[in-house]
Amino acid sequence: MSARPNAAATATAVAPAATADADPACAAPLPVLGRDVTVPLVTGGEVTYAALDYAASAPALQRVWDDVAAYAPYYGSVHRGAGYLSQLSTDLFENSRVTVAEFLDCRPDDQVVFTRSTTDSLNLLAAVIPADCEVFVFETEHHASLLPWRDARVTYLNAPRTPEDAIATLERALAERDPSPRSSSWGDPIGPALVCVTGASNVTGELWPVQELAAAAHAHGARIVLDAAQLAPHHPVSVQELDVDWVAFSGHKLYAPFGSGVLAGRADWLQDAEPYLAGGGASRKVARRADGGVDVDWHTTAARHEAGSPNVIGVYSIASACKALTEAGFDNLVAREQHLVAKVRAGLAEVAEVKVLSLFGDDSPSRSAGGTPTRVGVISFVVEGWNSSHFAAALSAEYGIGVRDGLFCAHPLVRTLLGSDPQDPGECGAPEAEPGERSLNAIRVSFGAGTPDEHVERFVRAVKELVREGAKWNYRTEDGRCVPAV
């Protein structure tokens, strides 16, 4: 039986990729939902919405939506149905697992577990690590990868200021645990260890030295999990090349609808632990005991941690997005995105009042001297004389531009980056601060494969105009948000 319904073959194909030597400025963005949506402006009229908040949720690719729509009439239960639609849906679900494994270049024995999101994936991993496992995590992580380990023995590492500092910081922390570096050995008598690291910062967009951090972890007998939520939509992720033990990402960052995610990697800890959720699908056999209790034989496959009826459409949408990005060609996608990054950074650099936030250096380029990208399309900044919430509200209400403001679910990192940049706590939209603390927040603009040049060009013009002329409208605070006054 084909894993894909015949009707799905009519799904719209991804837009033809640019040739490898094409000018990225001329390459077309991938078609996404919402690209023609218009929104009203407080100053009058309407404008096509510029969605520049990809780091929070990227719009779904049109290809993904068409694939899901073609499958929808064939929707059926998964794994336990004898009917044609159930069997077809099961094949679709399991072949999506194969597609994701290929997208991530997994090892032959790796498992791909479908979850709800990156947050869910990392909480799953936190639930299955050995009881005596020590976890090392940088304070710069998104809360999804910073917080799940609180019940473990966790060491929080200070924010590094260069990629080399990140490697050295991890080396020192692991050396204190194990003073005799050696090749990786999961049966280490001093106990297991796990390193958690992001691939690309959701605040600064800077790429982390994942391969080098993985080598450091393995040299000290530790394992490593990669939070690829911000990396996978922008760059190819190879589990084998990076030599990470697990990788986690979310569908809604990867141009798929909400509610689906992935944890992929080594099977042993997953197989040895109790299921993340107890219920149907995770169990292979259940029997009553003579004493009135229940004996359970759990699956040893990925199903062990996928109890309940799975999100078939969410899983299929991830697989569709993986195929679309692969077919478009990451070389083309990266080249075009770097063209947009350079355009935004150059525009912001012309505004003296704008300070772009950077962990590895304010002057860090978009590309290394060798031409390798050093960041993805995520840029955070503050504007002198403006509260960031007020600025973001004006971008939306007066220019139809959607960005994000705040601390971006990475509070320790943003507070570190903004430590010397006080903001007026009395201004519109300023977040409430604890007694004795300054109110801190920033603006984040983010974009990707579906972003047209016009959106980032409008954004740069709007920033310059707001700084030069101020807002055209009055704003007030409502439920902690800055909104246009009526």
Side-chain angles (χ1 to χ4, degrees):
M1 178 185 300
S2 170
R4 189 174 182 176
N6 291 335
T10 64
T12 302
V14 70
T19 58
D21 58 352
D23 180 356
C26 300
L30 297 186
V32 295
L33 296 183
R35 58 189 179 275
D36 298 323
V37 168
T38 60
V39 294
L41 303 179
V42 293
T43 52
E46 293 186 340
V47 67
T48 302
Y49 184 65
L52 297 178
D53 193 16
Y54 275 47
S57 292
L61 287 173
Q62 185 69 54
R63 153 74 176 271
V64 172
W65 199 254
D66 290 343
D67 279 358
V68 167
Y71 162 65
Y74 299 86
Y75 182 81
S77 62
V78 174
H79 292 145
R80 294 176 290 280
Y84 177 82
L85 297 191
S86 178
Q87 294 179 50
L88 188 147
S89 295
T90 297
D91 282 354
L92 195 79
F93 185 85
E94 292 302 329
N95 278 313
S96 294
R97 205 187 301 276
V98 174
T99 297
V100 171
E102 292 173 348
F103 179 76
L104 296 174
D105 189 27
C106 289
R107 296 166 291 256
D109 295 333
D110 284 343
Q111 285 189 351
V112 173
V113 180
F114 289 117
T115 66
R116 294 178 298 173
S117 59
T118 306
T119 301
D120 194 35
S121 296
L122 293 171
N123 275 274
L124 188 166
L125 187 60
V128 305
I129 60 176
D132 58 343
C133 186
E134 186 173 3
V135 179
F136 296 84
V137 57
F138 287 92
E139 67 173 351
T140 47
E141 293 291 307
H142 185 281
H143 294 171
S145 48
L146 182 72
L147 300 181
W149 323 103
R150 290 175 300 158
D151 292 335
R153 288 192 300 137
V154 58
T155 297
Y156 295 104
L157 307 176
N158 292 334
R161 302 319 295 243
T162 65
E164 294 75 18
D165 186 25
I167 300 165
T169 297
L170 180 61
E171 286 272 13
R172 285 193 299 270
L174 292 172
E176 290 178 3
R177 168 184 178 268
D178 171 18
S180 303
R182 57 194 175 282
S183 61
S184 67
S185 171
W186 309 137
D188 197 319
I190 66 173
L194 178 68
V195 176
C196 181
V197 67
T198 189
S201 172
N202 77 302
V203 177
T204 68
E206 292 163 314
L207 296 174
W208 278 60
V210 176
Q211 192 172 34
E212 293 83 354
L213 291 168
H218 292 159
H220 290 270
R223 300 193 185 192
I224 185 168
V225 56
L226 170 63
D227 175 355
Q230 298 296 340
L231 183 63
H234 303 274
H235 285 269
V237 175
S238 169
V239 168
Q240 297 193 68
E241 182 177 335
L242 294 174
D243 198 21
V244 294
D245 299 284
W246 293 277
V247 60
F249 69 86
S250 294
H252 71 99
K253 313 279 191 190
L254 196 80
Y255 308 101
F258 287 98
S260 55
V262 167
L263 176 68
R266 299 194 181 276
D268 54 351
W269 285 4
L270 294 168
Q271 292 174 345
D272 293 342
E274 288 291 301
Y276 181 49
L277 296 173
S283 56
R284 185 163 49 189
K285 179 180 178 182
V286 179
R288 288 291 303 273
R289 296 196 304 264
D291 63 3
V294 174
D295 285 326
V296 184
D297 182 15
W298 303 106
H299 279 294
T300 57
T301 63
R304 185 183 188 91
H305 298 289
E306 294 176 344
S309 296
N311 180 1
V312 187
I313 285 181
V315 165
Y316 181 43
S317 69
I318 285 183
S320 175
C322 290
K323 289 180 179 178
L325 294 174
T326 300
E327 292 170 8
F330 267 109
D331 286 347
N332 299 316
L333 297 174
V334 170
R336 186 174 186 281
E337 183 175 301
Q338 291 304 303
H339 158 74
L340 297 179
V341 169
K343 182 174 290 192
V344 172
R345 284 175 59 82
L348 294 180
E350 295 174 356
V351 185
E353 292 83 356
V354 169
K355 177 185 177 182
V356 174
L357 304 182
S358 174
L359 187 63
F360 298 151
D362 292 340
D363 297 325
S364 176
S366 299
R367 289 180 179 269
S368 67
T372 303
T374 61
R375 62 180 68 243
V376 300
V378 179
I379 299 169
S380 295
F381 62 98
V382 291
V383 183
E384 183 181 345
W386 285 79
N387 178 270
S388 294
S389 294
H390 187 192
F391 200 89
L395 285 173
S396 175
E398 300 178 28
Y399 298 92
I401 298 171
V403 298
R404 182 153 295 231
D405 65 276
L407 300 177
F408 318 127
C409 291
H411 293 187
L413 170 56
V414 180
R415 290 185 182 280
T416 294
L417 298 176
L418 293 181
S420 60
D421 292 290
Q423 302 210 7
D424 182 1
E427 193 173 349
C428 176
E432 294 183 3
E434 295 295 327
E437 290 187 356
R438 290 190 297 268
S439 178
L440 301 175
N441 61 338
I443 306 154
R444 184 181 70 192
V445 56
S446 53
F447 40 87
T451 305
D453 283 51
E454 188 277 329
H455 287 185
V456 299
E457 291 165 358
R458 191 197 320 171
F459 165 76
V460 170
R461 288 196 305 269
V463 169
K464 293 179 178 179
E465 190 170 301
L466 283 172
V467 171
R468 183 177 64 248
E469 302 175 10
K472 300 181 180 67
W473 204 262
N474 292 322
Y475 295 82
R476 61 186 176 84
T477 300
E478 181 178 294
D479 297 328
R481 295 294 307 166
C482 189
V483 298
V486 294

